[in-house]
């Protein structure tokens, strides 16, 4: 299984199969609710590798860290994320969120492996939940 992630925000970021290691689609409702809540939060958590510049190809993940630093007063704090989940060379899920912002961004480095990791958590702006596209069942 592989993942392709494209983010269009302050800058465009393309993360391919060699970078992204896992993707989680998140739905959140209040824990204290006794019925289906109208307070639904949608998000995505993307985990991947941070690698050195290889064969002249720059590491796109530095743009994620820079985007995470954009303050809420700046309109470029919002962006669009497209996630393709690929299995056997075919797209099995496609998620598009058009008004996401960074909830959390974390980088971890260890000297044993020589590869860093990142975790990017994005949330869709709640008043734009109806624009989220979650698709699957593609025929080939």
């Amino acid at each position: 299984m592989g993942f392709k992630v494209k983010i269009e925000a302050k800058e465009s970021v393309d993360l391919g199969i060699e970078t992204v290691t896992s993707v989680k689609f998140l739905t959140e409702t209040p824990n204290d609710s006794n019925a289906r809540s109208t307070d639904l939060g949608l998000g995505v958590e993307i985990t991947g590798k941070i690698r050195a510049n290889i064969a002249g190809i720059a590491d796109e993940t530095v743009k994620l860290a820079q985007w995470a630093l954009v303050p809420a007063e700046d309109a470029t704090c919002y962006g669009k994320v497209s996630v393709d989940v690929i299995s056997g060379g075919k797209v099995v899920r496609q998620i598009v969120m058009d008004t996401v912002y960074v909830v959390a961004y974390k980088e971890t480095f260890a000297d044993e492996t020589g590869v860093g990791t990142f975790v990017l958590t994005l949330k869709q702006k709640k008043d734009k939940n109806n624009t989220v596209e979650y698709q699957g069942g593609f025929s080939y």
Side-chain angles (χ1 to χ4, degrees), residues 8-134:
E8 299 168 36
K10 186 171 177 140
E11 291 190 56
S12 183
V13 181
D14 285 310
L15 304 173
I17 293 172
E18 66 283 345
T19 301
V20 180
T21 57
S22 72
V23 173
K24 294 178 186 175
F25 178 69
L26 310 169
T27 59
E28 301 169 341
T29 57
N31 291 333
D32 61 351
S33 178
N34 290 327
R36 179 66 174 177
S37 174
T38 57
D39 187 21
L40 177 65
L42 301 175
V44 65
E45 183 180 276
I46 302 161
T47 304
K49 301 175 196 171
I50 300 169
R51 297 190 277 180
N53 186 336
I54 300 171
I57 300 171
D59 177 37
E60 293 273 296
T61 58
V62 72
K63 295 177 186 177
L64 300 176
Q66 293 166 343
W67 184 37
L69 299 174
V70 175
E73 298 82 22
D74 186 336
T76 62
C77 72
Y78 292 102
K80 177 180 180 179
V81 64
S82 303
V83 178
D84 290 343
V85 180
I86 302 164
S87 180
K90 304 199 183 328
V91 176
V92 295
R93 288 284 187 275
Q94 188 172 61
I95 304 163
V96 179
M97 297 178 162
D98 64 354
T99 315
V100 294
Y101 58 94
V102 178
V103 172
Y105 180 75
K106 178 173 57 173
E107 292 184 345
T108 306
F109 298 94
D111 64 351
E112 297 89 25
T113 61
V115 176
T117 59
F118 72 88
V119 179
L120 173 67
T121 305
L122 303 172
K123 276 184 109 172
Q124 174 79 354
K125 194 172 177 208
K126 280 190 180 179
D127 65 340
K128 301 289 186 179
N129 278 353
N130 62 335
T131 64
V132 172
E133 299 173 31
Y134 190 93

